[in-house]
Amino acid sequence: MAWQSILDRFRPVGAPGPAAAAGVPSQDVTGPAAELAPVMAALRPDMEAAAARLAAAEAEAEQIVARARERAATTLATARSRAPGARAKAAAAAERDAVEQRARWMADARVRADAMTARAEQVTPRLVARALDRVLDEMLGEPGAGRRSG
């Protein structure tokens, strides 16, 4: 029996008795494959179009990856060619900073040394006089005997 529609499988049941479903499937002689064949045939153009779009997308992705690899190789080559100059520039800057720092330290050391020299020039005469007094006290054997006037 050839059916016009898949819904033809359900025939109405009107037998007397308790309430039941409105329809039950009849005997399926042709099977699901025969029923789905027209549906699959109708979907075939869409499936082929989807496969074509997928293939085009994969080809485009391969091109994008190839271009990205080329750009990466170019960038790497440029970086490698510029690296010696950048290293030299960085080394020169570091050396310049070190020279400037050394100059600042030397200037600070000079200021401190000058301050220490000035303090030593102030204190030295008193210290020499005290030392001389002690030596004289020891030599003369009398405390305060070596004190000089003036």
Side-chain angles (χ1 to χ4, degrees):
M1 162 186 211
W3 290 326
Q4 301 268 331
S5 166
I6 194 166
L7 298 177
D8 289 341
R9 311 178 33 185
F10 298 99
R11 53 188 163 91
V13 176
V24 279
S26 65
Q27 183 74 21
D28 189 9
V29 177
T30 59
E35 289 180 10
L36 292 178
V39 173
M40 296 309 281
L43 287 176
R44 188 173 325 277
D46 291 332
M47 297 286 282
E48 290 171 354
R53 289 178 70 187
L54 179 62
E58 287 174 348
E60 183 180 357
E62 287 176 13
Q63 290 174 356
I64 290 170
V65 168
R67 284 193 304 266
R69 284 189 177 137
E70 288 173 9
R71 281 195 309 262
T74 302
T75 302
L76 183 60
T78 302
R80 284 185 177 154
S81 69
R82 291 180 182 172
R87 281 190 194 106
K89 186 176 178 182
E95 185 173 347
R96 188 175 48 251
D97 291 345
V99 167
E100 290 172 2
Q101 180 66 35
R102 182 180 171 275
R104 285 192 298 270
W105 286 346
M106 289 301 293
D108 184 48
R110 279 190 203 101
V111 167
R112 289 180 183 208
D114 290 345
M116 290 172 72
T117 301
R119 177 75 176 135
E121 288 174 355
Q122 288 176 352
V123 175
T124 300
R126 280 192 319 228
L127 293 176
V128 169
R130 284 175 59 190
L132 186 58
D133 284 345
R134 284 187 181 175
V135 168
L136 290 174
D137 285 347
E138 286 290 321
M139 287 176 60
L140 298 174
E142 300 175 17
R147 307 225 182 227
R148 296 172 285 130
S149 60

